[in-house]
Amino acid sequence: MIHTQQLTRTFESGKETVEAVRGIDLDVAEGELVAFLGPNGAGKSTTLRMLTSLLPPTSGTATVAGIDVTADPAGVRSRIGYIGQKDGAGHNYRVWDELLMQGRFYGLDKQRATERADELLGTLDLEGMKMRKVSTLSGGQKRRLDIALGLIHEPALLFLDEPSTGMDPQNRANLWDHILRLREEFGTTIVLTTHYLEEADTMAERVVVIDHGRIIADDTAEALKAEQAGDRITVTVSADDLPTTREVVGQAGTEVEEVPADGCAAISFRVDAGPVALPRVLHALGDKGVAVNAATLKQPTLDDVFLNLTGRSLREGAEA
Amino acid sequence: MSTITDSAATSARMARSSLLGDIKAVWTRETLTILRDPFSLIFSLIQPLVFLGLFAPLLAGVADDGLGFGSTLQFFLPGVVVMITMFGTSMTGANLQFEIMTGAFERILATPLARQALLIGRALKELTPLVVQALIITLVAVPFGFDLYPAHIVLGLLILGVFGVGVGALSYALAIATRKNEWAFWAVQQSLLFPLLILSGMMLPLETGPDWMQALSKVNPLTYIVDAERVLFSGTFDDSAVVYGIVAALVTCAVGLWVGVRTVTKSIL
């Protein structure tokens, strides 16, 4: 569906040249659900804009839905759907008018556009909103209308730029229901950008981590977490049991760290499959007569992955 | 339900889309704002009438040439038609700026519509009520001694239409260039609009003005438009002013579209 080679984009800002995207090689197969994850300014949106032909690349090539973005941008645009960060629907328009016009922009005839608009109002829970002015819709309704607009021509490939930014958790979950259903029913290939870790973690099957205009990791969330961070077990034992514990832990895991406290110590270590390893370690310690005071298992998040890759946190509020 | 074949059929329909079809589609969407809110149209119709009704009698008093009010109207009315065209089309970008801000423009950019169609369709939308306005003020002026030449007026409006698309496209480019600060759009639009209007001899004749004003008016494309409209509204086709007017309109249109399309493809919203 997507194939890029050394896709690059620089911007001239005064006398400075900003390299927003520095040589991205990416392949996305049909039916994949891919999330571009990275901090603000990492180059996610710029990459998306080049893939959707909204921005010409400075160098490199990109083939999207079988078409070269530089050679035939309009051809690319007619085969993809794009849902931007802001409201797609014009505030001064009626919902129905915008849907029909969008159909016309994609070359649908009136009958087909009407059918599609009706279908989409139904699937996106917007029935009864037909004659409403867009500016009077709620945030969640506007977002669903944006999705309807992006799907009017049944694209096989859909791009979403920060689809759930600013939405409350309930609306976000609702949005994802719609996106996932779309994929299940039509096998739509979906590429989205996000800086919400949980979103990339739970929804996307493949996470492409982008930082400073480069892809720094590309795999399933599970694999990224296992490779880049791993599960960590922490057991707290009394100071007397420390030597025995060290011995057991040394065999069970790696990257052992000790935090001594008053009369006891917390030993943490990395294991491959935390939920399986934890009972085994506890059992082994019990067999050797160690009384474990407390045990915790921490499974990594994508933030740990990002932290491990870049030394920085992706959490909101954390300075990138 | 939808299948792959459906999508293939959709693509086939898309392939047939033409520039003209795209322009019509953009124009239709823009015109919906007028259709859904006719008060704005009614209000905009009153404005040139007020201007004509209040200004022309004054001008008749100043330029007492003994030929009466009808003659003043003959001079002044084409100028008013040009003025409302300039007012309308130079504001094309203001509506665009709102849609850049909310995000609708980006969505439309992501559709396969031809870039020129985005500019032309929007400019034509601003011209649509102007045609109605021009016809109304012309008809209103007839009982006051204004001579009506329908065929000439049609050509006059066509020239204005071509010119207006150029002005609209420039306004569009200005809106994109100033998208980060709205006031800059208005500052540039206003500070260009009035000098251009005055230096075209639209409101008052320039023959009595100082040399520097006359020199400036020679390089103002609007001058040639106003002159052509005056000649046409007075019922003459056979005049070099008409040719100059057509050339000025075509050049403005070409420059406007070139600048506009360049701005759309180069800018990052």
Side-chain angles (χ1 to χ4, degrees), chain A residues 11 49 54-55 74 77-78 82 84 86-90 92-94 97-98 101-102 104-108 112 154, chain B residues 2 6-7 10 13-14 25 28-30 33 36 98-104 106-107 109-113 115 268:
Chain A
F11 294 113
R49 279 161 178 285
L54 286 173
L55 192 68
R77 286 196 287 269
S78 69
Y82 172 72
K86 292 188 274 183
D87 300 343
N92 291 332
Y93 290 86
R94 289 182 188 170
D97 287 344
E98 277 293 67
M101 284 317 302
Q102 180 79 345
R104 206 158 148 194
F105 289 170
Y106 281 99
L108 306 186
R112 187 73 193 124
E154 300 170 77
Chain B
S2 313
D6 258 1
S7 302
T10 310
R13 271 199 296 274
M14 283 167 202
T28 309
R29 176 175 182 271
E30 295 304 312
T33 54
R36 299 289 185 233
F98 179 67
E99 295 220 305
I100 291 177
M101 208 177 67
T102 62
E106 192 188 55
R107 179 203 103 216
L109 274 183
T111 68
L113 289 171
R115 311 287 97 164
I268 311 112

Tab-separated table of all heavy atoms in Angstrom, chain A residues 11 49 54-55 74 77-78 82 84 86-90 92-94 97-98 101-102 104-108 112 154, chain B residues 2 6-7 10 13-14 25 28-30 33 36 98-104 106-107 109-113 115 268:
chain	number	residue	atom	x	y	z
A	11	PHE	N	12.648	22.341	5.605
A	11	PHE	CA	11.950	23.631	5.527
A	11	PHE	C	12.977	24.733	5.692
A	11	PHE	O	13.908	24.605	6.487
A	11	PHE	CB	10.915	23.764	6.658
A	11	PHE	CG	9.786	22.793	6.538
A	11	PHE	CD1	9.621	21.782	7.476
A	11	PHE	CD2	8.890	22.888	5.493
A	11	PHE	CE1	8.577	20.876	7.373
A	11	PHE	CE2	7.839	21.994	5.382
A	11	PHE	CZ	7.688	20.992	6.324
A	49	ARG	N	1.836	14.202	5.590
A	49	ARG	CA	1.498	15.150	4.538
A	49	ARG	C	2.175	14.792	3.221
A	49	ARG	O	1.611	14.992	2.155
A	49	ARG	CB	1.928	16.551	4.945
A	49	ARG	CG	0.945	17.160	5.851
A	49	ARG	CD	1.528	18.298	6.617
A	49	ARG	NE	0.473	18.825	7.426
A	49	ARG	CZ	-0.499	19.569	6.931
A	49	ARG	NH1	-0.480	19.913	5.668
A	49	ARG	NH2	-1.461	19.968	7.696
A	54	LEU	N	0.005	16.156	0.136
A	54	LEU	CA	-0.284	17.549	0.479
A	54	LEU	C	0.993	18.376	0.497
A	54	LEU	O	0.956	19.593	0.414
A	54	LEU	CB	-0.969	17.641	1.854
A	54	LEU	CG	-2.423	17.199	1.899
A	54	LEU	CD1	-2.931	17.173	3.318
A	54	LEU	CD2	-3.279	18.128	1.059
A	55	LEU	N	2.124	17.693	0.620
A	55	LEU	CA	3.401	18.388	0.719
A	55	LEU	C	4.393	17.632	-0.161
A	55	LEU	O	4.568	16.425	0.014
A	55	LEU	CB	3.854	18.343	2.188
A	55	LEU	CG	5.002	19.206	2.612
A	55	LEU	CD1	4.609	20.669	2.561
A	55	LEU	CD2	5.416	18.840	4.031
A	74	ALA	N	-2.812	14.108	-7.625
A	74	ALA	CA	-4.280	14.029	-7.631
A	74	ALA	C	-4.721	12.560	-7.667
A	74	ALA	O	-5.736	12.191	-7.070
A	74	ALA	CB	-4.848	14.792	-8.817
A	77	ARG	N	-4.515	11.319	-4.205
A	77	ARG	CA	-5.599	11.880	-3.388
A	77	ARG	C	-6.948	11.208	-3.664
A	77	ARG	O	-7.774	11.086	-2.766
A	77	ARG	CB	-5.707	13.389	-3.619
A	77	ARG	CG	-4.593	14.158	-2.958
A	77	ARG	CD	-4.928	15.622	-2.856
A	77	ARG	NE	-4.863	16.290	-4.136
A	77	ARG	CZ	-3.778	16.885	-4.616
A	77	ARG	NH1	-2.666	16.904	-3.910
A	77	ARG	NH2	-3.796	17.471	-5.781
A	78	SER	N	-7.153	10.780	-4.918
A	78	SER	CA	-8.448	10.182	-5.224
A	78	SER	C	-8.569	8.771	-4.644
A	78	SER	O	-9.654	8.240	-4.521
A	78	SER	CB	-8.684	10.172	-6.731
A	78	SER	OG	-7.793	9.269	-7.340
A	82	TYR	N	-8.240	11.176	3.924
A	82	TYR	CA	-7.366	11.887	4.852
A	82	TYR	C	-8.219	12.637	5.869
A	82	TYR	O	-9.113	13.388	5.498
A	82	TYR	CB	-6.474	12.871	4.085
A	82	TYR	CG	-5.681	13.794	4.979
A	82	TYR	CD1	-4.603	13.315	5.709
A	82	TYR	CD2	-6.034	15.135	5.120
A	82	TYR	CE1	-3.875	14.154	6.543
A	82	TYR	CE2	-5.315	15.980	5.948
A	82	TYR	CZ	-4.227	15.486	6.653
A	82	TYR	OH	-3.530	16.316	7.490
A	84	GLY	N	-7.677	15.194	8.871
A	84	GLY	CA	-6.660	16.052	9.479
A	84	GLY	C	-6.896	16.287	10.963
A	84	GLY	O	-7.819	15.747	11.559
A	86	LYS	N	-7.625	19.203	12.436
A	86	LYS	CA	-8.689	20.144	12.775
A	86	LYS	C	-10.020	19.664	12.202
A	86	LYS	O	-10.106	18.588	11.632
A	86	LYS	CB	-8.304	21.529	12.256
A	86	LYS	CG	-7.112	22.089	13.010
A	86	LYS	CD	-6.841	23.529	12.659
A	86	LYS	CE	-5.977	23.652	11.426
A	86	LYS	NZ	-5.640	25.037	11.103
A	87	ASP	N	-11.069	20.476	12.341
A	87	ASP	CA	-12.391	20.083	11.841
A	87	ASP	C	-12.409	20.107	10.313
A	87	ASP	O	-12.147	21.136	9.714
A	87	ASP	CB	-13.467	21.058	12.330
A	87	ASP	CG	-13.534	21.097	13.843
A	87	ASP	OD1	-12.999	20.169	14.470
A	87	ASP	OD2	-14.119	22.048	14.382
A	88	GLY	N	-12.746	18.969	9.738
A	88	GLY	CA	-12.802	18.906	8.286
A	88	GLY	C	-14.035	19.579	7.716
A	88	GLY	O	-14.013	20.157	6.637
A	89	ALA	N	-15.127	19.510	8.436
A	89	ALA	CA	-16.384	20.054	7.923
A	89	ALA	C	-16.429	21.564	8.129
A	89	ALA	O	-16.048	22.066	9.174
A	89	ALA	CB	-17.558	19.399	8.640
A	90	GLY	N	-16.886	22.288	7.111
A	90	GLY	CA	-16.983	23.737	7.207
A	90	GLY	C	-18.020	24.146	8.237
A	90	GLY	O	-19.143	23.635	8.218
A	92	ASN	N	-19.818	26.728	8.619
A	92	ASN	CA	-21.022	27.425	8.172
A	92	ASN	C	-21.941	26.564	7.317
A	92	ASN	O	-22.905	27.056	6.755
A	92	ASN	CB	-20.635	28.665	7.366
A	92	ASN	CG	-20.012	29.715	8.246
A	92	ASN	OD1	-20.312	29.792	9.435
A	92	ASN	ND2	-19.126	30.502	7.686
A	93	TYR	N	-21.617	25.286	7.213
A	93	TYR	CA	-22.396	24.426	6.331
A	93	TYR	C	-23.289	23.467	7.115
A	93	TYR	O	-23.045	23.203	8.285
A	93	TYR	CB	-21.451	23.615	5.437
A	93	TYR	CG	-20.756	24.470	4.421
A	93	TYR	CD1	-19.584	25.136	4.743
A	93	TYR	CD2	-21.283	24.634	3.154
A	93	TYR	CE1	-18.944	25.946	3.822
A	93	TYR	CE2	-20.651	25.434	2.212
A	93	TYR	CZ	-19.487	26.084	2.555
A	93	TYR	OH	-18.871	26.880	1.643
A	94	ARG	N	-24.275	22.940	6.386
A	94	ARG	CA	-25.088	21.888	6.991
A	94	ARG	C	-24.382	20.554	6.779
A	94	ARG	O	-23.705	20.355	5.765
A	94	ARG	CB	-26.453	21.841	6.321
A	94	ARG	CG	-27.314	23.025	6.687
A	94	ARG	CD	-28.669	22.902	6.050
A	94	ARG	NE	-29.425	24.129	6.239
A	94	ARG	CZ	-30.566	24.375	5.629
A	94	ARG	NH1	-31.090	23.486	4.805
A	94	ARG	NH2	-31.200	25.503	5.848
A	97	ASP	N	-25.121	18.879	3.420
A	97	ASP	CA	-24.506	19.581	2.289
A	97	ASP	C	-23.025	19.222	2.177
A	97	ASP	O	-22.519	18.970	1.083
A	97	ASP	CB	-24.629	21.100	2.470
A	97	ASP	CG	-26.063	21.587	2.243
A	97	ASP	OD1	-26.844	20.819	1.667
A	97	ASP	OD2	-26.369	22.723	2.652
A	98	GLU	N	-22.347	19.218	3.321
A	98	GLU	CA	-20.921	18.928	3.292
A	98	GLU	C	-20.654	17.509	2.799
A	98	GLU	O	-19.719	17.271	2.034
A	98	GLU	CB	-20.299	19.118	4.684
A	98	GLU	CG	-19.948	20.554	4.992
A	98	GLU	CD	-18.829	21.118	4.127
A	98	GLU	OE1	-19.060	21.269	2.915
A	98	GLU	OE2	-17.747	21.404	4.657
A	101	MET	N	-21.272	17.407	-0.988
A	101	MET	CA	-20.228	18.120	-1.717
A	101	MET	C	-18.928	17.321	-1.708
A	101	MET	O	-18.232	17.264	-2.709
A	101	MET	CB	-19.988	19.503	-1.090
A	101	MET	CG	-21.022	20.558	-1.396
A	101	MET	SD	-21.582	20.617	-3.108
A	101	MET	CE	-20.063	20.891	-4.009
A	102	GLN	N	-18.634	16.716	-0.579
A	102	GLN	CA	-17.416	15.910	-0.483
A	102	GLN	C	-17.474	14.768	-1.494
A	102	GLN	O	-16.498	14.480	-2.176
A	102	GLN	CB	-17.253	15.371	0.947
A	102	GLN	CG	-16.026	14.518	1.168
A	102	GLN	CD	-14.757	15.333	1.351
A	102	GLN	OE1	-14.718	16.521	1.044
A	102	GLN	NE2	-13.718	14.698	1.838
A	104	ARG	N	-19.032	14.812	-4.261
A	104	ARG	CA	-18.832	15.404	-5.575
A	104	ARG	C	-17.361	15.733	-5.821
A	104	ARG	O	-16.856	15.580	-6.934
A	104	ARG	CB	-19.657	16.684	-5.629
A	104	ARG	CG	-20.000	16.998	-7.032
A	104	ARG	CD	-21.196	17.877	-7.088
A	104	ARG	NE	-21.030	18.721	-8.244
A	104	ARG	CZ	-21.746	19.794	-8.474
A	104	ARG	NH1	-22.676	20.157	-7.617
A	104	ARG	NH2	-21.557	20.504	-9.544
A	105	PHE	N	-16.678	16.185	-4.780
A	105	PHE	CA	-15.251	16.492	-4.914
A	105	PHE	C	-14.478	15.245	-5.325
A	105	PHE	O	-13.449	15.318	-5.962
A	105	PHE	CB	-14.675	17.025	-3.601
A	105	PHE	CG	-15.152	18.416	-3.245
A	105	PHE	CD1	-14.885	18.953	-1.994
A	105	PHE	CD2	-15.854	19.178	-4.161
A	105	PHE	CE1	-15.311	20.233	-1.667
A	105	PHE	CE2	-16.290	20.458	-3.846
A	105	PHE	CZ	-16.016	20.978	-2.594
A	106	TYR	N	-14.970	14.074	-4.919
A	106	TYR	CA	-14.288	12.834	-5.270
A	106	TYR	C	-14.876	12.219	-6.535
A	106	TYR	O	-14.566	11.087	-6.879
A	106	TYR	CB	-14.355	11.834	-4.115
A	106	TYR	CG	-13.353	12.124	-3.029
A	106	TYR	CD1	-13.718	12.793	-1.875
A	106	TYR	CD2	-12.024	11.737	-3.182
A	106	TYR	CE1	-12.794	13.079	-0.886
A	106	TYR	CE2	-11.088	12.016	-2.203
A	106	TYR	CZ	-11.481	12.683	-1.050
A	106	TYR	OH	-10.557	12.964	-0.082
A	107	GLY	N	-15.748	12.953	-7.193
A	107	GLY	CA	-16.253	12.504	-8.478
A	107	GLY	C	-17.409	11.520	-8.411
A	107	GLY	O	-17.730	10.876	-9.402
A	108	LEU	N	-18.060	11.380	-7.257
A	108	LEU	CA	-19.232	10.503	-7.194
A	108	LEU	C	-20.413	11.200	-7.862
A	108	LEU	O	-20.538	12.421	-7.781
A	108	LEU	CB	-19.623	10.208	-5.740
A	108	LEU	CG	-18.580	9.649	-4.791
A	108	LEU	CD1	-19.236	9.297	-3.467
A	108	LEU	CD2	-17.888	8.439	-5.366
A	112	ARG	N	-24.963	8.178	-6.024
A	112	ARG	CA	-23.992	7.442	-5.224
A	112	ARG	C	-23.618	8.252	-3.971
A	112	ARG	O	-23.500	7.702	-2.876
A	112	ARG	CB	-22.753	7.167	-6.081
A	112	ARG	CG	-21.736	6.263	-5.432
A	112	ARG	CD	-22.201	4.822	-5.391
A	112	ARG	NE	-21.344	4.047	-4.499
A	112	ARG	CZ	-21.792	3.345	-3.455
A	112	ARG	NH1	-23.081	3.327	-3.163
A	112	ARG	NH2	-20.958	2.667	-2.704
A	154	GLU	N	-15.069	5.626	-0.134
A	154	GLU	CA	-14.615	4.280	0.207
A	154	GLU	C	-13.144	4.048	-0.113
A	154	GLU	O	-12.802	3.143	-0.875
A	154	GLU	CB	-15.436	3.227	-0.541
A	154	GLU	CG	-16.899	3.293	-0.210
A	154	GLU	CD	-17.695	2.410	-1.142
A	154	GLU	OE1	-17.664	1.201	-0.928
A	154	GLU	OE2	-18.299	2.936	-2.094
B	2	SER	N	-20.502	-2.457	0.210
B	2	SER	CA	-19.406	-2.048	-0.651
B	2	SER	C	-18.402	-3.161	-0.884
B	2	SER	O	-18.096	-3.928	0.017
B	2	SER	CB	-18.680	-0.879	-0.004
B	2	SER	OG	-19.631	0.046	0.419
B	6	ASP	N	-16.847	-1.886	-6.328
B	6	ASP	CA	-17.427	-0.577	-6.103
B	6	ASP	C	-16.357	0.498	-6.132
B	6	ASP	O	-16.503	1.520	-6.769
B	6	ASP	CB	-18.112	-0.537	-4.727
B	6	ASP	CG	-19.616	-0.673	-4.889
B	6	ASP	OD1	-20.041	-0.816	-6.043
B	6	ASP	OD2	-20.318	-0.647	-3.879
B	7	SER	N	-15.257	0.211	-5.409
B	7	SER	CA	-14.186	1.188	-5.339
B	7	SER	C	-13.573	1.409	-6.706
B	7	SER	O	-13.208	2.521	-7.062
B	7	SER	CB	-13.090	0.717	-4.390
B	7	SER	OG	-13.659	0.515	-3.132
B	10	THR	N	-15.687	3.638	-8.580
B	10	THR	CA	-15.502	4.988	-8.072
B	10	THR	C	-14.289	5.631	-8.720
B	10	THR	O	-14.346	6.770	-9.169
B	10	THR	CB	-15.305	4.956	-6.544
B	10	THR	OG1	-16.347	4.161	-5.992
B	10	THR	CG2	-15.351	6.331	-5.959
B	13	ARG	N	-14.930	6.769	-12.215
B	13	ARG	CA	-15.676	8.028	-12.286
B	13	ARG	C	-14.752	9.203	-12.025
B	13	ARG	O	-14.861	10.235	-12.638
B	13	ARG	CB	-16.794	8.017	-11.256
B	13	ARG	CG	-18.087	7.437	-11.780
B	13	ARG	CD	-19.244	7.866	-10.922
B	13	ARG	NE	-19.139	7.359	-9.571
B	13	ARG	CZ	-19.575	6.156	-9.194
B	13	ARG	NH1	-20.112	5.349	-10.069
B	13	ARG	NH2	-19.465	5.757	-7.964
B	14	MET	N	-13.828	8.987	-11.078
B	14	MET	CA	-12.932	10.078	-10.729
B	14	MET	C	-12.061	10.487	-11.899
B	14	MET	O	-11.772	11.639	-12.095
B	14	MET	CB	-11.987	9.618	-9.632
B	14	MET	CG	-12.621	9.593	-8.295
B	14	MET	SD	-11.521	8.696	-7.249
B	14	MET	CE	-12.654	8.203	-6.015
B	25	ALA	N	-17.958	22.318	-8.977
B	25	ALA	CA	-18.156	21.708	-7.654
B	25	ALA	C	-17.755	22.680	-6.544
B	25	ALA	O	-18.478	22.848	-5.555
B	25	ALA	CB	-17.360	20.413	-7.555
B	28	THR	N	-20.242	25.490	-6.363
B	28	THR	CA	-21.507	25.061	-5.760
B	28	THR	C	-21.405	25.054	-4.242
B	28	THR	O	-22.284	25.539	-3.545
B	28	THR	CB	-21.891	23.656	-6.254
B	28	THR	OG1	-21.841	23.643	-7.667
B	28	THR	CG2	-23.284	23.266	-5.793
B	29	ARG	N	-20.286	24.494	-3.734
B	29	ARG	CA	-20.154	24.437	-2.282
B	29	ARG	C	-20.135	25.843	-1.690
B	29	ARG	O	-20.815	26.123	-0.702
B	29	ARG	CB	-18.882	23.692	-1.879
B	29	ARG	CG	-18.660	23.700	-0.376
B	29	ARG	CD	-17.477	22.861	0.054
B	29	ARG	NE	-17.340	22.873	1.503
B	29	ARG	CZ	-16.618	23.786	2.173
B	29	ARG	NH1	-15.992	24.739	1.524
B	29	ARG	NH2	-16.548	23.733	3.489
B	30	GLU	N	-19.377	26.728	-2.301
B	30	GLU	CA	-19.270	28.090	-1.785
B	30	GLU	C	-20.613	28.817	-1.852
B	30	GLU	O	-20.981	29.552	-0.939
B	30	GLU	CB	-18.222	28.878	-2.572
B	30	GLU	CG	-16.809	28.350	-2.412
B	30	GLU	CD	-16.385	28.302	-0.962
B	30	GLU	OE1	-16.579	29.301	-0.263
B	30	GLU	OE2	-15.884	27.246	-0.525
B	33	THR	N	-23.378	28.732	0.910
B	33	THR	CA	-23.420	29.647	2.063
B	33	THR	C	-24.393	30.790	1.785
B	33	THR	O	-25.032	31.289	2.704
B	33	THR	CB	-22.030	30.228	2.386
B	33	THR	OG1	-21.502	30.832	1.206
B	33	THR	CG2	-21.084	29.189	2.908
B	36	ARG	N	-28.059	29.210	1.788
B	36	ARG	CA	-28.526	28.852	3.130
B	36	ARG	C	-28.684	30.074	4.014
B	36	ARG	O	-29.197	29.988	5.103
B	36	ARG	CB	-27.547	27.868	3.784
B	36	ARG	CG	-27.384	26.555	3.036
B	36	ARG	CD	-28.620	25.689	3.141
B	36	ARG	NE	-28.429	24.399	2.531
B	36	ARG	CZ	-29.240	23.878	1.609
B	36	ARG	NH1	-30.298	24.548	1.219
B	36	ARG	NH2	-28.992	22.688	1.113
B	98	PHE	N	-11.035	31.791	7.179
B	98	PHE	CA	-11.861	31.139	8.202
B	98	PHE	C	-11.765	29.629	8.034
B	98	PHE	O	-11.620	28.886	9.018
B	98	PHE	CB	-13.313	31.618	8.071
B	98	PHE	CG	-14.248	30.984	9.054
B	98	PHE	CD1	-14.122	31.256	10.408
B	98	PHE	CD2	-15.231	30.102	8.628
B	98	PHE	CE1	-14.983	30.668	11.321
B	98	PHE	CE2	-16.087	29.514	9.542
B	98	PHE	CZ	-15.963	29.788	10.884
B	99	GLU	N	-11.811	29.158	6.812
B	99	GLU	CA	-11.769	27.713	6.589
B	99	GLU	C	-10.363	27.125	6.757
B	99	GLU	O	-10.218	25.944	7.031
B	99	GLU	CB	-12.337	27.377	5.202
B	99	GLU	CG	-13.812	27.723	5.120
B	99	GLU	CD	-14.628	26.696	4.352
B	99	GLU	OE1	-14.275	26.420	3.206
B	99	GLU	OE2	-15.594	26.158	4.924
B	100	ILE	N	-9.349	27.971	6.613
B	100	ILE	CA	-7.992	27.499	6.924
B	100	ILE	C	-7.914	27.280	8.434
B	100	ILE	O	-7.412	26.277	8.918
B	100	ILE	CB	-6.922	28.535	6.503
B	100	ILE	CG1	-6.840	28.644	4.982
B	100	ILE	CG2	-5.544	28.155	7.067
B	100	ILE	CD1	-5.862	29.697	4.477
B	101	MET	N	-8.487	28.251	9.160
B	101	MET	CA	-8.436	28.212	10.620
B	101	MET	C	-9.183	26.993	11.175
B	101	MET	O	-8.673	26.292	12.024
B	101	MET	CB	-9.061	29.495	11.150
B	101	MET	CG	-8.577	29.968	12.469
B	101	MET	SD	-9.405	31.534	12.808
B	101	MET	CE	-11.108	31.024	13.014
B	102	THR	N	-10.382	26.744	10.659
B	102	THR	CA	-11.160	25.638	11.221
B	102	THR	C	-10.684	24.283	10.716
B	102	THR	O	-10.858	23.283	11.387
B	102	THR	CB	-12.659	25.766	10.882
B	102	THR	OG1	-12.814	25.705	9.461
B	102	THR	CG2	-13.237	27.054	11.408
B	103	GLY	N	-10.090	24.238	9.532
B	103	GLY	CA	-9.559	22.970	9.037
B	103	GLY	C	-10.242	22.466	7.772
B	103	GLY	O	-9.767	21.532	7.143
B	104	ALA	N	-11.357	23.095	7.389
B	104	ALA	CA	-12.088	22.615	6.209
B	104	ALA	C	-11.253	22.739	4.937
B	104	ALA	O	-11.342	21.900	4.041
B	104	ALA	CB	-13.394	23.390	6.049
B	106	GLU	N	-8.049	22.339	4.594
B	106	GLU	CA	-7.119	21.217	4.499
B	106	GLU	C	-7.827	19.970	3.980
B	106	GLU	O	-7.298	19.226	3.161
B	106	GLU	CB	-6.475	20.932	5.845
B	106	GLU	CG	-5.316	19.987	5.715
B	106	GLU	CD	-4.778	19.545	7.058
B	106	GLU	OE1	-5.561	19.027	7.877
B	106	GLU	OE2	-3.589	19.707	7.283
B	107	ARG	N	-9.041	19.761	4.469
B	107	ARG	CA	-9.802	18.604	4.006
B	107	ARG	C	-10.042	18.698	2.496
B	107	ARG	O	-9.898	17.716	1.773
B	107	ARG	CB	-11.159	18.568	4.723
B	107	ARG	CG	-12.036	17.420	4.283
B	107	ARG	CD	-13.494	17.722	4.549
B	107	ARG	NE	-14.193	18.081	3.362
B	107	ARG	CZ	-15.160	18.984	3.294
B	107	ARG	NH1	-15.529	19.664	4.340
B	107	ARG	NH2	-15.747	19.230	2.159
B	109	LEU	N	-8.260	20.394	0.349
B	109	LEU	CA	-6.970	20.220	-0.336
B	109	LEU	C	-6.640	18.742	-0.521
B	109	LEU	O	-5.965	18.366	-1.467
B	109	LEU	CB	-5.845	20.863	0.482
B	109	LEU	CG	-5.566	22.333	0.294
B	109	LEU	CD1	-4.385	22.729	1.147
B	109	LEU	CD2	-5.287	22.664	-1.155
B	110	ALA	N	-7.111	17.919	0.403
B	110	ALA	CA	-6.795	16.494	0.349
B	110	ALA	C	-7.676	15.736	-0.648
B	110	ALA	O	-7.481	14.553	-0.871
B	110	ALA	CB	-6.923	15.876	1.741
B	111	THR	N	-8.638	16.418	-1.252
B	111	THR	CA	-9.454	15.775	-2.284
B	111	THR	C	-8.743	15.938	-3.630
B	111	THR	O	-7.853	16.770	-3.759
B	111	THR	CB	-10.858	16.422	-2.388
B	111	THR	OG1	-10.709	17.742	-2.903
B	111	THR	CG2	-11.556	16.460	-1.046
B	112	PRO	N	-9.151	15.152	-4.644
B	112	PRO	CA	-8.438	15.248	-5.928
B	112	PRO	C	-8.748	16.496	-6.750
B	112	PRO	O	-8.251	16.624	-7.854
B	112	PRO	CB	-8.888	13.980	-6.670
B	112	PRO	CG	-10.119	13.526	-6.003
B	112	PRO	CD	-10.087	14.019	-4.606
B	113	LEU	N	-9.524	17.429	-6.224
B	113	LEU	CA	-9.859	18.641	-6.978
B	113	LEU	C	-8.607	19.343	-7.508
B	113	LEU	O	-7.615	19.448	-6.802
B	113	LEU	CB	-10.608	19.630	-6.071
B	113	LEU	CG	-12.030	19.277	-5.675
B	113	LEU	CD1	-12.517	20.249	-4.608
B	113	LEU	CD2	-12.957	19.314	-6.881
B	115	ARG	N	-6.086	22.181	-8.292
B	115	ARG	CA	-5.752	23.349	-7.457
B	115	ARG	C	-6.328	24.648	-8.042
B	115	ARG	O	-6.795	25.503	-7.307
B	115	ARG	CB	-4.241	23.498	-7.289
B	115	ARG	CG	-3.515	22.224	-6.884
B	115	ARG	CD	-3.737	21.832	-5.454
B	115	ARG	NE	-4.788	20.826	-5.311
B	115	ARG	CZ	-4.991	20.090	-4.238
B	115	ARG	NH1	-4.220	20.200	-3.202
B	115	ARG	NH2	-5.974	19.225	-4.184
B	268	ILE	N	2.647	25.423	3.637
B	268	ILE	CA	2.373	24.376	4.601
B	268	ILE	C	1.369	24.964	5.571
B	268	ILE	O	1.658	25.943	6.238
B	268	ILE	CB	3.627	23.973	5.378
B	268	ILE	CG1	4.772	23.729	4.404
B	268	ILE	CG2	3.378	22.778	6.253
B	268	ILE	CD1	5.860	24.754	4.510
